[in-house]
Amino acid sequence: MRKVLLFALAALLMAGVAIGTVSAQGHGYCGSGGIAEVSAPWYCNYINQSMEAYWAQWAPYAMLAVVFSFGIASVIFAAGTILNNERIRNFGVGEYYEALASAIIVTGFLFISAVMFGVITGTATGPIDPYSTALGYLNQTINGLYPELLQLFSIAAVDGYFMTTTLSICTGGICSTVPQFWGGVIGWLFYVPAMVLIELQLEVLALLYAEFWIILEFMYIAIPVFLIPGIILRSIIPTRGLGGMMIATAIGFYMVLPLLFSVAYYFTHTSTLKCAESGTLGLQQYGSGTGAQTNALNQNGPLVQVLNGIQVCMDSYWLAVLFYPSLIMALTYATIIQIAEFIGGMTQMSGRLRV
């Protein structure tokens, strides 16, 4: 029993030293000259305040979970000592390491968050806030594509109306219909391709809105719903794996996802906006009034050429809203899995009991 008490006291002393070190490093991280303030001022101005508000509500529960974790580790180590079972004792030692890690995370939570979400992210983006940047790029792309879609639909609607309108001449009860010589040409060269493009652009806008709301939603729920409860659950043996997965999910969707989106749209949204602006201006210039029909009567017509330009631009649309987001989601998922395995399985490196 004396060995158990000495080991527990040593573990608590190590925890105190580690906690003191983290707290000392974390003091003033967002103050004048702080590491987060220098590399990521946007973090200190906005995100850190939310972190402090959330953590003020959860900190007592987190500390209670850490104390409980040390208590469980002491019971396991004592049982191994009393039963003279080396495997159980090693398992208890591993749980002491886990409790120590949890104590460091809980006590230095704000500092660790500043390093993880501010300093590390700021190293890649500098003074640019990746969260608002990603949302800004998405919003600009949506606002750029929307006028083009409306203009294209209005022209196609007018052409579709005239294509279905017939002229009948009746004399003495006998009516004859005047055939539309140009309706089929307009339908083949402009109307049918335009309707296909309208459907594709609606899908593009739907994907952009989905990506926008995914980023925005996880910006609000990642910390209070995943990160902080995950830290508490990780301190308890039965829920350690779940806690690690929740922490990893918060890191993936709060740090990795917006960062990758901001980088991807930084390289694609300019060309996409130029294409959309060019298409909108061309449709407004050549599709107004009777130009909606007269400019679409041959393959070299101005309206047909504008439509061909929009078709070419669809390549950049799909690259921006389909390929890159799919790649980003895959990378985010892979990151979450790797972090969850590391956080949830740390005791595999410190003598966990194997059955």
Side-chain angles (χ1 to χ4, degrees):
M1 183 60 69
R2 182 180 298 177
K3 293 182 178 180
V4 176
L5 294 176
L6 289 175
F7 193 87
L9 182 61
L12 289 173
L13 181 61
M14 291 172 58
V17 173
I19 290 169
T21 303
V22 173
S23 299
Q25 292 175 346
H27 181 69
Y29 60 86
C30 265
S32 178
I35 58 172
E37 183 68 33
V38 172
S39 60
W42 46 265
Y43 175 86
C44 295
N45 294 335
Y46 303 103
I47 301 175
N48 184 63
Q49 299 176 11
S50 299
M51 287 280 191
E52 291 179 348
Y54 289 131
W55 189 242
Q57 303 174 6
W58 286 92
Y61 302 101
M63 293 300 299
L64 183 63
V66 169
V67 173
F68 179 75
S69 181
F70 271 107
I72 292 296
S74 299
V75 171
I76 296 174
F77 186 80
T81 303
I82 294 172
L83 298 175
N84 197 23
N85 189 313
E86 189 68 21
R87 298 177 68 184
I88 297 178
R89 188 160 50 241
N90 289 339
F91 182 47
V93 173
E95 289 305 313
Y96 271 121
Y97 291 146
E98 290 288 359
L100 176 62
S102 298
I104 294 174
I105 293 173
V106 168
T107 308
F109 172 76
L110 293 176
F111 172 67
I112 294 173
S113 299
V115 172
M116 183 169 53
F117 297 119
V119 176
I120 295 177
T121 307
T123 302
T125 62
I128 300 174
D129 183 355
Y131 311 104
S132 61
T133 300
L135 293 175
Y137 285 158
L138 283 168
N139 187 56
Q140 291 174 17
T141 306
I142 291 172
N143 292 334
L145 292 178
Y146 198 70
E148 182 185 68
L149 176 62
L150 289 179
Q151 191 69 28
L152 187 61
F153 177 79
S154 64
I155 296 174
V158 172
D159 284 350
Y161 171 77
F162 282 106
M163 286 170 56
T164 57
T165 301
T166 58
L167 176 63
S168 298
I169 300 176
C170 298
T171 304
I174 300 174
C175 297
S176 59
T177 301
V178 179
Q180 289 192 10
F181 295 102
W182 308 113
V185 176
I186 295 174
W188 178 256
L189 293 179
F190 181 83
Y191 180 78
V192 173
M195 293 305 296
V196 173
L197 284 177
I198 288 171
E199 184 175 354
L200 291 176
Q201 288 191 336
L202 286 174
E203 294 177 358
V204 167
L205 285 174
L207 287 172
L208 287 172
Y209 274 114
E211 294 161 12
F212 181 90
W213 286 108
I214 286 174
I215 296 176
L216 186 64
E217 186 71 19
F218 273 97
M219 281 182 62
Y220 283 102
I221 70 173
I223 295 173
V225 176
F226 289 98
L227 183 61
I228 297 177
I231 292 174
I232 296 175
L233 292 175
R234 191 202 169 278
S235 302
I236 305 172
I237 297 176
T239 59
R240 180 161 298 144
L242 175 61
M245 178 59 73
M246 293 179 69
I247 295 173
T249 301
I251 294 173
F253 282 101
Y254 197 80
M255 181 176 70
V256 178
L257 186 70
L259 179 61
L260 293 178
F261 264 112
S262 64
V263 172
Y265 276 93
Y266 176 79
F267 291 106
T268 60
H269 94 291
T270 302
S271 60
T272 303
L273 290 180
K274 286 183 178 179
C275 282
E277 182 179 0
S278 175
T280 303
L281 292 176
L283 292 173
Q284 290 174 347
Q285 180 179 0
Y286 299 112
S288 59
T290 57
Q293 293 83 45
T294 58
N295 291 327
L297 292 176
N298 61 80
Q299 291 183 343
N300 296 321
L303 200 57
V304 177
Q305 294 301 314
V306 172
L307 193 65
N308 292 335
I310 296 175
Q311 291 176 350
V312 173
C313 287
M314 288 302 298
D315 294 338
S316 65
Y317 294 172
W318 288 117
L319 185 67
V321 304
L322 187 62
F323 174 74
Y324 282 131
S326 300
L327 181 61
I328 290 170
M329 289 296 181
L331 292 174
T332 303
Y333 175 77
T335 303
I336 291 173
I337 295 300
Q338 293 300 318
I339 295 176
E341 289 182 357
F342 176 75
I343 296 177
M346 289 180 64
T347 50
Q348 294 178 1
M349 299 180 289
S350 58
R352 166 166 285 203
L353 178 65
R354 290 174 173 82
V355 293

